[in-house]
Amino acid sequence: MIKRMSHACCYVLDQERAKRFYTEKLGFEVRADVALGGESEGGGQGFRWLTVGPPDQPDVEIILADCRMGHDPETAEQIRALVAKGAMGTGVMATDDCQKTYEELSARGVVFTQEPAQRPYGIEAVFRDDSGNWFSLTQRSAAG
């Protein structure tokens, strides 16, 4: 039986730049940063296993994946185009105070596409990472 989700994949355009964004701007910790293999038996290239996560949630890792990881060149380019276009909504980041977190992240240079607003489930703002992925920043209401 499945016990919990441990990793989630977020395709990024540049892993080193994404690492700086997630650690310096969002305050996440690097959980793993390992170069894996060179040429594989199937002719594929090695890749960088880079994961980050929120300090208060040590059992969760977001994989900052190169778009080529596990994909043929044509598919990788399609993924890159979707990420850069901002078509990839990656997830929800929870906060206890959406307005305060919005102000803190904005001061660090995080770009928001929607300012905090009341929703049926709480207060939500929407931001983009440095690759174009968007995230909901949500303060859930007591009923939400």
Side-chain angles (χ1 to χ4, degrees), residues 49-86:
W49 181 258
L50 174 60
T51 69
V52 296
D56 292 340
Q57 207 171 9
D59 60 336
V60 171
E61 296 185 54
I62 299 169
I63 305 161
L64 301 179
D66 185 295
C67 297
R68 296 171 295 183
M69 189 171 86
H71 299 287
D72 62 82
E74 181 181 351
T75 302
E77 193 51 43
Q78 291 170 339
I79 293 169
R80 282 185 68 77
L82 288 170
V83 170
K85 185 179 183 177

Side-chain angles (χ1 to χ4, degrees), residues 11 13-14 50 71 87 89 108 116 124 137-138:
Y11 288 106
L13 303 179
D14 179 297
L50 174 60
H71 299 287
R108 293 183 198 159
E124 178 191 46
L137 175 66
T138 303

Side-chain angles (χ1 to χ4, degrees), residues 21-144:
F21 177 87
Y22 282 83
T23 58
E24 295 172 12
K25 294 188 186 274
L26 299 186
F28 286 9
E29 300 171 335
V30 172
R31 302 279 162 76
D33 190 353
V34 181
L36 298 174
E39 292 291 323
S40 68
E41 290 180 27
Q45 302 252 339
F47 63 93
R48 181 179 182 187
W49 181 258
L50 174 60
T51 69
V52 296
D56 292 340
Q57 207 171 9
D59 60 336
V60 171
E61 296 185 54
I62 299 169
I63 305 161
L64 301 179
D66 185 295
C67 297
R68 296 171 295 183
M69 189 171 86
H71 299 287
D72 62 82
E74 181 181 351
T75 302
E77 193 51 43
Q78 291 170 339
I79 293 169
R80 282 185 68 77
L82 288 170
V83 170
K85 185 179 183 177
M88 305 289 273
T90 304
V92 178
M93 305 281 182
T95 181
D96 292 331
D97 187 334
C98 190
Q99 184 65 42
K100 181 180 177 185
T101 304
Y102 164 80
E103 291 167 6
E104 290 171 350
L105 295 180
S106 292
R108 293 183 198 159
V110 175
V111 175
F112 280 81
T113 59
Q114 292 179 24
E115 294 182 4
Q118 189 68 49
R119 306 278 186 239
Y121 46 84
I123 302 171
E124 178 191 46
V126 177
F127 69 91
R128 285 182 140 178
D129 72 6
D130 66 313
S131 292
N133 297 297
W134 61 270
F135 292 87
S136 168
L137 175 66
T138 303
Q139 173 186 337
R140 293 189 68 152
S141 63

